[in-house]
Amino acid sequence: MTALTLSTAAAAGLRADAIVIGVAKGTASRSAGLVVAPGAEAVDAAYDGKLAGVLETLGASGAEGELTKLPSPAGFKAPLVVAVGLGDEPGKDDAYDPEALRRAAGVAARALTGSKKAAFALPVDGPGAIGAIGEGVLLGAYSYDAQRENGAKNGKAKNGKAPLGEAALLGGKPRDAAHKGALARAVTVSEELNRSRDLINMPPNDLTPEAFAAITQAAAKEHGFKVQVLDDKALVKGGYGGIMGVGGGSAATPRLVKLSYKHPKADRHLALVGKGITYDSGGISLKPAGHNETMKCDMAGAAAVFAAVVSAARLGLEVNVTGWLALAENMPSGSAVRPGDVLRMYSGKTVEVLNTDAEGRLVLADALWAASQENPDAIVDVATLTGAMVLALGTRTFGIMGNDEAFRAAVHEAAEEVGEPAWQMPLPEHLRKAGESQVADLSNMGERMGGGLFAGLFLREFVGEGITWAHLDIAGPAFNEGGPFGYTPKGGTGSAVRTLVRLAELTACGELG
Ligand code: BES
Ligand code: MN
Ligand code: ZN
């Protein structure tokens, strides 16, 4: 991964391949047209204060996502200036939005693939900006190359270039504890988020439930938390009918993984539950071609929970965090669950399976009930649960549902704070009726309209009485099938990781749950 440093050096004397600067769209009242953002004063001065005009001549406007390259002015050691758009210039007394900095840093880091070193001269007004730029660089420089012939060996991307080697953040103070702390947090969270992207991108023939469980065990040893793995035998014995039902069709047997991070001084307990379908073929209700090519991403919720627990452990947060990964592969076979089967769930409730492609809610039901047995202060589950949520909110926004309005709003606020677009969705009671079964306590299918909300209502049935709970449906943002944007690559995105880490931090300081 790209090495990050804080630097007080002057831009002109820096030995680097490029200097990254920010440009914005000036507000009409102050300065119409492109403006050069703070941090790039030295570069602008070397252009005789005419940098904005030069960039406009090259077609730059300051729009978000825009990238313009130009040769450095005389006297600069770095040969190249890379100007990245920050969107609208903030008001007179406001700072640049951290998310705009994060995205711009990501765009620049991706464009600088193959370079050894770059200096980032973006507007820095404090530790928040340092953290955002650091995250943007590390997340934007990511690429998944483990499967290429030489990828794992030389760390080179498909175009034969290695990711940006080093980024020096100018304006960062290497001796300031708050700056150092913000950078260290950004490095930890970004490393774990990138690892979760690796897991999502890993082909499903390699990442079986068993392999996923083994990866968590290795991480636990390294970072000092506990892992307990229930294998198929233990799951049958324990009565986990949901997980066993869904995993029954695959030669790769299911697992329920419990990750426990404990802080000796903690008095609060946050439980995180992740959907971990390592491949979702739909099962006997098989998905048609065109709907299954990306379904290796159906474990993105479990990957996010894993990344959040490891981050909490590495950051030493003063909170107990338990992660539950419900791992199974949904495949059709002679031993697969059939439409019409009734499963006895871990909670004791029975569920008639009317569509084997509505499998996520079945594995989550068992994991939610297991999590509830410890009576945590709050439970948050994360799942690529429904296509309906993608239709409702698009591919960049996740839905938040839950049984407590204040908690749901707090989760939304945390998501916005870390730069993850999210929206609150209701759980309308009238939709439950469609999920009544002729033969069992309930069925796993509701009506088609509002399918994402019915899935949430189904999950609610398996949350212990009186426990605060939120459900994040990340089916849209978990996997990017389009081109890269901001700090988001193609493929696995690491959606919800930063929100979960923030929730753990807020729980630690008693502001949540
Ligand atoms: N894993 C899918 C949901 C999904 C869709 C994730 C698109 C990512 C992108 C889930 O298991 C599923 O198949 N849901 C069905 C439920 C339906 C059968 C009630 C769906 O949304 O169509
Ligand atoms: Mn499915
Ligand atoms: Zn699924």
Side-chain angles (χ1 to χ4, degrees):
M1 232 175 49
T2 313
L4 293 185
T5 53
L6 298 174
S7 171
T8 49
L14 264 164
R15 281 182 207 286
D17 300 302
I19 296 176
V20 177
I21 63 165
V23 290
K25 286 178 147 176
T27 44
S29 57
R30 285 206 285 149
S31 44
L34 179 143
V35 295
V36 176
E41 290 83 358
V43 182
D44 191 19
Y47 271 104
D48 292 333
K50 293 184 181 129
L51 182 54
V54 171
L55 283 163
E56 278 186 327
T57 308
L58 291 169
S61 70
E64 207 185 282
E66 180 187 87
L67 183 133
T68 313
K69 290 182 178 175
L70 70 165
S72 287
F76 271 65
K77 291 224 166 79
L80 181 72
V81 172
V82 173
V84 278
L86 292 165
D88 289 334
E89 184 190 20
K92 205 166 175 300
D93 300 319
D94 295 333
Y96 278 86
D97 174 22
E99 176 62 4
L101 297 175
R102 198 180 280 114
R103 290 187 188 178
V107 168
R110 186 168 48 256
L112 287 165
T113 299
S115 299
K116 284 215 167 67
K117 180 173 177 178
F120 282 69
L122 293 170
V124 170
D125 70 328
I130 289 291
I133 296 167
E135 285 177 10
V137 169
L138 297 178
L139 301 178
Y142 173 86
S143 78
Y144 179 68
D145 304 300
Q147 302 299 321
R148 298 188 189 280
E149 190 181 3
N150 298 310
K153 266 180 265 166
N154 62 15
K156 283 186 179 169
K158 64 178 161 195
N159 53 9
K161 292 178 179 171
L164 173 63
E166 185 187 337
L169 310 192
L170 304 190
K173 301 179 193 143
R175 287 200 182 79
D176 181 313
H179 281 219
K180 276 197 300 193
L183 191 70
R185 180 190 183 277
V187 170
T188 299
V189 175
S190 304
E191 276 180 2
E192 296 312 323
L193 191 154
N194 281 341
R195 239 192 286 279
S196 83
R197 289 171 169 177
D198 280 347
L199 290 173
I200 298 165
N201 291 328
M202 206 182 275
N205 54 337
D206 284 350
L207 191 73
T208 58
E210 184 182 10
F212 197 153
I215 289 170
T216 67
Q217 279 165 325
K221 259 196 201 144
E222 191 180 342
H223 300 298
F225 59 92
K226 278 204 187 115
V227 177
Q228 279 167 272
V229 179
L230 297 187
D231 65 9
D232 50 327
K233 276 196 197 110
L235 289 169
V236 171
K237 210 170 157 205
Y240 294 82
I243 297 174
M244 280 314 296
V246 171
S250 173
T253 52
R255 298 286 185 276
L256 176 63
V257 175
K258 179 186 178 186
L259 313 168
S260 319
Y261 163 67
K262 288 203 168 93
H263 189 284
K265 286 197 212 138
D267 58 1
R268 296 194 161 256
H269 179 194
L270 177 66
L272 306 174
V273 175
K275 171 178 174 181
I277 300 298
T278 56
Y279 183 70
D280 182 11
S281 72
I284 298 294
S285 315
L286 194 63
K287 284 181 189 293
H291 290 261
N292 52 22
E293 293 85 348
T294 59
M295 278 304 142
K296 66 176 182 181
C297 81
D298 216 16
M299 35 55 71
V305 167
F306 175 43
V309 175
V310 179
S311 298
R314 288 182 60 182
L315 296 170
L317 300 184
E318 204 172 309
V319 56
N320 294 334
V321 184
T322 311
W324 300 85
L325 316 184
L327 309 178
E329 187 180 39
N330 188 20
M331 294 288 271
S333 81
S335 58
V337 68
R338 315 158 187 79
D341 279 358
V342 172
L343 301 175
R344 182 171 292 275
M345 312 294 279
Y346 183 50
S347 79
K349 280 191 180 144
T350 58
V351 174
E352 182 183 13
V353 178
L354 288 177
N355 188 323
T356 65
D357 198 11
E359 84 297 338
R361 62 200 71 179
L362 299 172
V363 300
L364 286 170
D366 280 358
L368 283 168
W369 189 253
S372 297
Q373 299 322 295
E374 301 193 324
N375 213 12
D377 294 301
I379 302 179
V380 179
D381 79 69
V382 189
T384 46
L385 204 59
T386 66
M389 198 56 63
V390 191
L391 291 176
L393 297 177
T395 56
R396 295 192 185 182
T397 306
F398 61 75
I400 310 173
M401 285 144 275
N403 62 3
D404 180 306
E405 267 185 45
F407 187 67
R408 194 183 64 196
V411 173
H412 189 186
E413 203 178 307
E416 295 289 344
E417 198 188 327
V418 298
E420 294 206 274
W423 202 250
Q424 298 180 52
M425 303 294 273
L427 294 178
E429 297 298 333
H430 73 93
L431 289 178
R432 283 173 69 189
K433 185 120 185 69
E436 285 172 5
S437 163
Q438 295 298 312
V439 295
D441 295 331
L442 68 165
S443 98
N444 74 333
M445 282 290 288
E447 56 180 296
R448 201 167 77 85
M449 301 299 171
L453 316 181
F454 176 79
L457 283 163
F458 182 96
L459 296 180
R460 194 181 66 180
E461 299 292 319
F462 298 90
V463 175
E465 187 74 33
I467 300 179
T468 306
W469 157 77
H471 157 57
L472 313 186
D473 190 338
I474 61 167
F479 198 81
N480 176 22
E481 292 184 54
F485 60 94
Y487 51 84
T488 305
K490 235 178 132 63
T493 62
S495 175
V497 171
R498 289 177 298 129
T499 298
L500 294 184
V501 173
R502 189 72 197 126
L503 290 176
E505 286 174 338
L506 290 169
T507 309
C509 56
E511 285 170 38
L512 194 83

